[in-house]
Coordinates of all heavy atoms in Angstrom, one line a residue:
K1 N 167.2 104.3 31.2 CA 167.3 104.1 29.7 C 168.3 105.3 29.2 O 169.1 104.9 28.3 CB 166.0 104.2 29.0 CG 165.2 102.9 29.1 CD 163.9 103.0 28.4 CE 163.1 101.8 28.6 NZ 161.9 101.8 27.8
Q2 N 168.2 106.4 29.9 CA 169.0 107.5 29.3 C 170.4 107.3 29.5 O 171.3 107.7 28.7 CB 168.6 108.8 30.2 CG 169.4 110.0 29.8 CD 169.0 111.2 30.7 OE1 168.1 111.1 31.5 NE2 169.8 112.3 30.5
H3 N 170.9 106.6 30.6 CA 172.2 106.3 30.8 C 172.7 105.0 30.4 O 173.9 104.6 30.7 CB 172.5 106.6 32.3 CG 172.2 107.9 32.8 ND1 173.0 109.0 32.5 CD2 171.2 108.3 33.6 CE1 172.6 110.1 33.0 NE2 171.4 109.7 33.7
R4 N 172.0 104.2 29.7 CA 172.3 102.8 29.4 C 173.5 102.9 28.4 O 173.4 103.7 27.5 CB 171.1 102.2 28.8 CG 171.3 100.7 28.4 CD 170.1 100.0 27.8 NE 169.1 100.0 28.9 CZ 167.9 99.5 28.6 NH1 167.5 99.2 27.5 NH2 167.0 99.4 29.7
K5 N 174.3 101.9 28.4 CA 175.5 101.9 27.5 C 175.2 100.8 26.5 O 174.5 99.8 26.8 CB 176.8 101.6 28.2 CG 177.1 102.6 29.3 CD 177.6 103.8 28.7 CE 178.1 104.9 29.7 NZ 178.3 106.1 29.3
S6 N 175.8 100.9 25.4 CA 175.6 99.8 24.4 C 176.5 98.5 24.8 O 177.4 98.7 25.6 CB 176.1 100.3 23.0 OG 177.5 100.4 23.0
Q7 N 176.3 97.4 24.2 CA 177.1 96.3 24.6 C 178.6 96.4 24.2 O 179.4 96.1 24.9 CB 176.6 95.0 23.8 CG 177.2 93.8 24.2 CD 176.7 92.5 23.5 OE1 175.7 92.6 22.8 NE2 177.3 91.3 23.8
E8 N 178.9 97.1 23.0 CA 180.2 97.4 22.7 C 181.0 98.3 23.7 O 182.1 98.1 24.0 CB 180.2 98.1 21.3 CG 181.7 98.3 20.8 CD 181.6 98.9 19.4 OE1 180.8 98.4 18.6 OE2 182.5 99.8 19.2
E9 N 180.2 99.3 24.2 CA 180.8 100.2 25.2 C 181.1 99.4 26.6 O 182.1 99.6 27.2 CB 179.9 101.3 25.6 CG 179.8 102.3 24.4 CD 178.7 103.4 24.8 OE1 177.6 103.0 25.0 OE2 179.1 104.6 24.7
L10 N 180.2 98.4 27.0 CA 180.4 97.6 28.1 C 181.6 96.7 28.0 O 182.5 96.7 28.8 CB 179.2 96.8 28.4 CG 179.3 95.9 29.5 CD1 179.5 96.6 30.8 CD2 178.0 95.0 29.6
L11 N 181.7 96.2 26.7 CA 182.9 95.3 26.5 C 184.2 96.1 26.5 O 185.3 95.6 27.0 CB 182.7 94.4 25.2 CG 181.6 93.5 25.2 CD1 181.5 92.9 23.8 CD2 181.9 92.5 26.2
D12 N 184.3 97.3 25.9 CA 185.4 98.2 26.0 C 185.7 98.5 27.4 O 187.0 98.6 27.9 CB 185.2 99.4 25.2 CG 185.1 99.2 23.7 OD1 185.7 98.1 23.3 OD2 184.6 100.1 23.0
Y13 N 184.7 98.8 28.3 CA 185.0 99.1 29.7 C 185.6 97.9 30.4 O 186.6 98.1 31.1 CB 183.6 99.5 30.3 CG 183.7 99.7 31.8 CD1 184.3 100.9 32.3 CD2 183.3 98.7 32.7 CE1 184.4 101.1 33.6 CE2 183.4 99.0 34.1 CZ 183.9 100.1 34.5 OH 184.0 100.3 35.9
L14 N 185.0 96.7 30.2 CA 185.6 95.5 30.8 C 187.0 95.2 30.4 O 187.9 94.7 31.2 CB 184.7 94.3 30.5 CG 183.3 94.4 31.2 CD1 182.5 93.1 30.7 CD2 183.5 94.4 32.8
N15 N 187.4 95.6 29.2 CA 188.8 95.3 28.6 C 189.5 96.6 28.5 O 190.2 96.8 27.6 CB 188.6 94.7 27.2 CG 189.9 94.2 26.7 OD1 190.7 93.7 27.5 ND2 190.1 94.3 25.4
W16 N 189.4 97.4 29.6 CA 189.9 98.7 29.6 C 191.5 98.6 29.2 O 192.2 97.8 29.8 CB 189.8 99.3 31.0 CG 190.3 100.8 31.1 CD1 189.8 101.9 30.5 CD2 191.3 101.1 31.9 NE1 190.5 102.9 30.9 CE2 191.5 102.6 31.8 CE3 192.2 100.5 32.8 CZ2 192.4 103.4 32.4 CZ3 193.2 101.3 33.4 CH2 193.3 102.7 33.2
Q17 N 192.0 99.4 28.3 CA 193.3 99.5 27.8 C 193.8 98.0 27.4 O 195.0 97.8 27.5 CB 194.2 100.1 28.8 CG 193.9 101.6 29.1 CD 194.9 102.2 30.1 OE1 195.6 101.6 30.8 NE2 194.8 103.5 30.1
G18 N 192.9 97.1 27.1 CA 193.4 95.9 26.5 C 194.0 94.9 27.6 O 194.5 93.9 27.3
K19 N 193.6 95.2 28.8 CA 194.2 94.3 29.9 C 193.8 93.0 30.1 O 194.4 92.2 30.6 CB 194.0 95.2 31.3 CG 194.8 96.4 31.3 CD 194.8 97.1 32.6 CE 195.5 98.3 32.6 NZ 196.4 98.6 33.7
L20 N 192.5 92.7 29.5 CA 192.0 91.4 29.5 C 192.6 90.6 28.3 O 193.0 89.5 28.4 CB 190.5 91.4 29.6 CG 189.8 91.7 30.9 CD1 188.3 91.6 30.7 CD2 190.3 90.7 31.9
T21 N 192.4 91.2 27.1 CA 192.8 90.5 25.9 C 194.4 90.4 25.8 O 194.9 89.6 25.0 CB 192.3 91.3 24.8 OG1 192.7 92.6 24.7 CG2 190.8 91.1 24.6
A22 N 195.2 91.1 26.5 CA 196.6 91.0 26.5 C 197.1 89.9 27.4 O 198.3 89.6 27.3 CB 197.2 92.3 26.9
Q23 N 196.3 89.4 28.1 CA 196.8 88.3 29.1 C 197.0 87.0 28.3 O 196.5 86.7 27.3 CB 195.8 88.0 30.2 CG 195.6 89.2 31.1 CD 194.6 88.9 32.2 OE1 194.3 87.8 32.6 NE2 194.1 90.0 32.7
N24 N 197.9 86.2 28.8 CA 198.3 84.9 28.3 C 197.8 83.8 29.3 O 198.6 83.5 30.2 CB 199.7 84.8 28.0 CG 200.2 83.5 27.5 OD1 199.3 82.6 27.1 ND2 201.5 83.2 27.4
P25 N 196.6 83.4 29.1 CA 196.1 82.3 30.0 C 196.7 80.9 29.9 O 196.4 80.1 30.6 CB 194.6 82.4 29.8 CG 194.5 82.8 28.3 CD 195.6 83.6 28.1
T26 N 197.5 80.8 28.9 CA 198.0 79.4 28.6 C 199.3 79.2 29.3 O 199.8 78.0 29.2 CB 198.2 79.2 27.1 OG1 199.2 80.1 26.6 CG2 196.8 79.3 26.4
G27 N 199.9 80.1 30.0 CA 201.0 79.9 30.7 C 200.9 78.9 31.9 O 199.8 78.7 32.4
V28 N 201.9 78.1 32.2 CA 201.9 77.0 33.2 C 201.9 77.6 34.6 O 201.0 77.3 35.5 CB 203.0 76.0 33.0 CG1 203.0 75.0 34.1 CG2 203.0 75.4 31.7
F29 N 202.8 78.6 34.8 CA 202.9 79.3 36.1 C 202.2 80.6 36.2 O 202.4 81.4 35.3 CB 204.3 79.3 36.7 CG 204.9 78.0 36.7 CD1 205.7 77.5 35.8 CD2 204.6 77.1 37.8 CE1 206.4 76.2 35.8 CE2 205.3 75.9 37.9 CZ 206.2 75.5 36.9
K30 N 201.6 80.9 37.2 CA 201.0 82.2 37.5 C 201.5 82.8 38.8 O 201.6 82.0 39.8 CB 199.5 82.2 37.6 CG 198.7 81.3 36.6 CD 198.7 82.0 35.4 CE 197.8 81.0 34.3 NZ 198.1 81.4 33.0
V31 N 201.9 84.0 38.7 CA 202.5 84.6 39.9 C 201.4 85.7 40.3 O 201.0 86.6 39.6 CB 203.8 85.4 39.6 CG1 204.3 86.1 40.9 CG2 204.8 84.5 39.2
L32 N 201.0 85.5 41.6 CA 200.0 86.4 42.2 C 200.6 87.3 43.2 O 201.4 86.8 44.0 CB 198.8 85.7 42.7 CG 198.1 84.8 41.8 CD1 197.0 84.0 42.5 CD2 197.4 85.5 40.7
Y33 N 200.3 88.6 43.3 CA 200.9 89.4 44.4 C 199.8 90.5 44.7 O 199.0 90.9 43.8 CB 202.2 90.0 44.0 CG 202.2 90.8 42.7 CD1 202.1 92.2 42.7 CD2 202.4 90.1 41.5 CE1 202.2 92.8 41.4 CE2 202.5 90.9 40.3 CZ 202.4 92.2 40.2 OH 202.4 92.9 39.1
N34 N 199.9 91.0 45.9 CA 198.9 92.1 46.3 C 199.2 93.4 45.6 O 200.4 93.7 45.2 CB 198.9 92.2 47.8 CG 200.2 92.5 48.4 OD1 201.2 92.2 47.9 ND2 200.2 93.2 49.6
T35 N 198.3 94.3 45.5 CA 198.4 95.6 44.8 C 199.2 96.6 45.7 O 199.9 97.4 45.2 CB 197.1 96.1 44.3 OG1 196.1 96.2 45.5 CG2 196.5 95.3 43.3
S36 N 198.9 96.6 47.0 CA 199.4 97.5 47.9 C 199.3 96.9 49.3 O 198.8 95.9 49.5 CB 198.8 98.9 47.9 OG 197.4 98.8 48.3
G37 N 199.9 97.7 50.2 CA 199.7 97.4 51.6 C 201.1 97.4 52.4 O 202.2 97.5 51.8
T38 N 201.1 97.3 53.7 CA 202.4 97.3 54.5 C 203.2 96.1 54.3 O 204.4 96.2 54.2 CB 201.9 97.5 55.9 OG1 201.1 98.7 56.1 CG2 203.2 97.6 56.8
H39 N 202.4 94.9 54.2 CA 203.2 93.7 54.0 C 203.0 93.1 52.6 O 201.8 92.8 52.3 CB 202.7 92.7 55.1 CG 202.7 93.1 56.5 ND1 203.9 93.2 57.2 CD2 201.8 93.6 57.3 CE1 203.7 93.7 58.4 NE2 202.4 94.0 58.5
L40 N 204.0 93.0 51.9 CA 204.0 92.5 50.6 C 203.9 91.0 50.6 O 204.6 90.3 51.5 CB 205.1 92.9 49.7 CG 205.2 94.5 49.5 CD1 206.5 94.7 48.7 CD2 204.0 94.9 48.8
C41 N 203.1 90.3 49.8 CA 203.1 88.9 49.7 C 202.9 88.4 48.2 O 202.3 89.2 47.5 CB 202.0 88.3 50.6 SG 200.4 88.8 50.2
S42 N 203.2 87.3 48.0 CA 203.1 86.7 46.6 C 203.1 85.1 46.7 O 203.4 84.6 47.7 CB 204.2 87.2 45.8 OG 205.5 86.7 46.1
C43 N 202.6 84.6 45.6 CA 202.7 83.2 45.6 C 202.8 82.7 44.0 O 202.4 83.6 43.2 CB 201.5 82.5 46.2 SG 199.9 82.7 45.4
V44 N 203.2 81.5 43.8 CA 203.3 81.0 42.5 C 202.2 79.9 42.4 O 202.2 79.0 43.2 CB 204.6 80.5 42.1 CG1 204.7 79.8 40.7 CG2 205.7 81.5 42.1
V45 N 201.3 80.0 41.4 CA 200.3 78.9 41.2 C 200.7 78.1 40.0 O 200.9 78.6 38.9 CB 198.9 79.5 41.1 CG1 197.8 78.4 40.8 CG2 198.5 80.3 42.2
D46 N 200.7 76.7 40.2 CA 201.0 75.8 39.0 C 199.6 75.6 38.4 O 198.8 74.9 38.9 CB 201.6 74.6 39.6 CG 202.1 73.6 38.4 OD1 201.6 73.8 37.3 OD2 202.8 72.7 38.7
A47 N 199.4 76.1 37.3 CA 198.1 76.1 36.6 C 197.7 74.7 36.2 O 196.6 74.3 35.9 CB 198.0 77.0 35.4
R48 N 198.8 73.7 36.1 CA 198.5 72.4 35.8 C 197.7 71.7 36.9 O 197.0 70.7 36.6 CB 199.7 71.6 35.4 CG 200.5 72.1 34.2 CD 201.8 71.5 34.0 NE 202.6 72.0 35.2 CZ 204.0 71.7 35.3 NH1 204.5 71.0 34.3 NH2 204.7 72.0 36.3
D49 N 197.9 72.2 38.1 CA 197.2 71.5 39.2 C 195.8 72.0 39.5 O 195.1 71.6 40.4 CB 198.0 71.7 40.5 CG 199.3 70.9 40.4 OD1 199.3 69.8 39.6 OD2 200.3 71.2 41.1
V50 N 195.4 73.1 38.8 CA 194.1 73.7 39.1 C 193.0 72.7 38.9 O 192.0 72.7 39.7 CB 193.9 74.9 38.2 CG1 192.5 75.5 38.3 CG2 194.9 76.0 38.5
S51 N 193.1 71.8 37.9 CA 191.9 70.9 37.7 C 191.8 69.9 38.9 O 190.7 69.3 39.0 CB 192.2 70.0 36.5 OG 193.4 69.3 36.6
K52 N 192.8 69.8 39.8 CA 192.7 69.0 40.9 C 192.1 69.6 42.2 O 191.7 69.0 43.1 CB 194.0 68.4 41.3 CG 194.7 67.6 40.3 CD 196.1 67.3 40.7 CE 196.8 66.6 39.5 NZ 198.2 66.3 39.9
W53 N 191.8 71.0 42.1 CA 191.2 71.8 43.2 C 189.7 71.5 43.2 O 189.2 71.1 42.2 CB 191.5 73.2 43.0 CG 192.9 73.6 43.1 CD1 194.0 72.9 43.3 CD2 193.4 75.0 42.7 NE1 195.2 73.7 43.2 CE2 194.9 74.9 42.9 CE3 192.8 76.2 42.4 CZ2 195.6 76.0 42.7 CZ3 193.6 77.3 42.3 CH2 194.9 77.2 42.5
Q54 N 189.2 71.6 44.4 CA 187.8 71.5 44.6 C 187.3 72.7 45.6 O 188.0 72.9 46.5 CB 187.4 70.2 45.2 CG 187.4 69.1 44.1 CD 186.6 67.9 44.7 OE1 186.3 67.8 45.8 NE2 186.4 66.9 43.7
V55 N 186.2 73.3 45.3 CA 185.6 74.3 46.1 C 184.2 73.9 46.3 O 183.4 73.8 45.4 CB 185.7 75.7 45.5 CG1 185.0 76.7 46.3 CG2 187.1 76.1 45.2
Y56 N 183.9 73.6 47.6 CA 182.6 73.2 47.9 C 182.2 72.0 47.1 O 181.0 71.9 46.4 CB 181.5 74.3 47.9 CG 181.7 75.4 48.7 CD1 182.1 76.6 48.2 CD2 181.6 75.3 50.1 CE1 182.3 77.7 49.0 CE2 181.9 76.4 50.9 CZ 182.2 77.6 50.3 OH 182.4 78.7 51.2
D57 N 183.0 71.0 47.0 CA 182.8 69.8 46.2 C 182.6 70.0 44.7 O 182.1 69.1 44.0 CB 181.7 69.0 46.8 CG 181.9 68.5 48.1 OD1 183.1 68.2 48.5 OD2 181.0 68.5 49.0
L58 N 183.0 71.2 44.2 CA 182.9 71.5 42.8 C 184.3 71.6 42.2 O 185.2 72.1 42.7 CB 182.2 72.8 42.5 CG 180.8 72.9 43.0 CD1 180.2 74.4 42.9 CD2 179.8 72.0 42.2
R59 N 184.4 70.9 41.1 CA 185.8 70.9 40.4 C 186.1 72.4 39.8 O 185.2 72.9 39.3 CB 185.9 69.9 39.3 CG 185.7 68.4 39.9 CD 186.0 67.4 39.0 NE 187.4 67.6 38.5 CZ 187.9 66.9 37.5 NH1 187.2 66.2 36.7 NH2 189.2 67.1 37.2
V60 N 187.3 72.7 40.0 CA 187.7 74.0 39.4 C 188.3 73.9 38.0 O 189.1 72.9 37.7 CB 188.7 74.7 40.4 CG1 189.4 75.9 39.9 CG2 188.2 74.8 41.7
K61 N 187.8 74.7 37.1 CA 188.4 74.7 35.8 C 189.3 75.9 35.4 O 190.0 75.9 34.3 CB 187.2 74.9 34.8 CG 186.3 73.6 34.8 CD 185.2 73.8 33.9 CE 184.2 72.6 33.8 NZ 183.2 72.7 32.8
G62 N 189.5 76.8 36.4 CA 190.4 77.9 36.1 C 190.2 78.8 37.3 O 189.5 78.5 38.3
F63 N 190.9 80.0 37.3 CA 190.6 81.0 38.3 C 190.9 82.4 37.7 O 191.4 82.5 36.6 CB 191.5 80.7 39.5 CG 193.1 81.0 39.2 CD1 193.6 82.2 39.4 CD2 193.8 80.0 38.7 CE1 194.9 82.5 39.2 CE2 195.2 80.2 38.5 CZ 195.7 81.5 38.8
V64 N 190.2 83.4 38.4 CA 190.4 84.8 38.0 C 191.0 85.4 39.3 O 190.6 85.2 40.4 CB 189.1 85.4 37.7 CG1 189.2 86.9 37.5 CG2 188.5 84.6 36.5
A65 N 192.1 86.3 39.1 CA 192.6 87.1 40.2 C 191.7 88.3 40.5 O 191.2 88.9 39.6 CB 194.0 87.6 39.8
Q66 N 191.3 88.4 41.7 CA 190.6 89.6 42.3 C 191.2 90.9 41.9 O 192.4 91.0 41.8 CB 190.2 89.3 43.7 CG 189.0 90.0 44.2 CD 189.4 91.2 45.2 OE1 190.5 91.3 45.5 NE2 188.4 91.9 45.6
H67 N 190.4 92.0 41.8 CA 191.0 93.3 41.5 C 192.0 93.8 42.5 O 192.9 94.7 42.1 CB 189.8 94.3 41.2 CG 189.3 94.8 42.7 ND1 188.4 94.1 43.3 CD2 189.5 95.9 43.3 CE1 188.1 94.7 44.4 NE2 188.8 95.9 44.4
T68 N 192.2 93.3 43.6 CA 193.3 93.7 44.6 C 194.5 92.9 44.4 O 195.4 93.0 45.3 CB 192.8 93.9 46.1 OG1 192.2 92.6 46.4 CG2 191.7 95.0 46.2
T69 N 194.4 92.0 43.5 CA 195.6 91.0 43.3 C 196.0 91.0 41.8 O 195.2 91.2 41.0 CB 195.1 89.5 43.7 OG1 194.5 89.5 44.9 CG2 196.3 88.5 43.5
Y70 N 197.3 91.1 41.7 CA 197.8 90.9 40.3 C 198.5 89.5 40.0 O 199.0 89.0 41.0 CB 198.9 92.0 40.0 CG 198.3 93.4 40.0 CD1 198.8 94.4 40.8 CD2 197.4 93.7 39.1 CE1 198.3 95.7 40.9 CE2 196.8 95.1 39.1 CZ 197.4 96.0 39.9 OH 196.9 97.3 39.8

């Protein structure tokens, strides 16, 4: 209880420097690339096709890039 943060502090932590709220999720194309490494790689995702994807027979409604991917 001593180290518990308020909900507002938690939301500020998740949105550090406004990096979540500054994103434009309505764009058609998403460019993903790795944060570091010897071999650089990237891809372009057509967000219009995401609704056709399935993972374990579940329809996909969107995606989130993992913290080692931009």
Side-chain angles (χ1 to χ4, degrees):
K1 289 182 180 181
Q2 178 183 355
H3 299 288
R4 184 180 291 173
K5 301 288 185 192
S6 71
Q7 183 175 0
E8 184 175 318
E9 289 174 306
L10 176 61
L11 294 176
D12 288 339
Y13 175 77
L14 291 174
N15 190 32
W16 184 67
Q17 294 185 346
K19 292 184 183 229
L20 287 178
T21 55
Q23 294 181 23
N24 179 9
T26 60
V28 175
F29 297 104
K30 312 291 185 199
V31 177
L32 301 175
Y33 56 93
N34 57 330
T35 58
S36 64
T38 303
H39 305 287
L40 298 176
C41 61
S42 65
C43 71
V44 176
V45 176
D46 185 345
R48 295 173 294 190
D49 291 337
V50 173
S51 62
K52 298 175 187 173
W53 297 357
Q54 286 193 348
V55 177
Y56 299 112
D57 296 325
L58 299 173
R59 296 188 65 192
V60 175
K61 293 184 179 180
F63 68 93
V64 176
Q66 200 249 359
H67 74 280
T68 58
T69 307
Y70 290 122

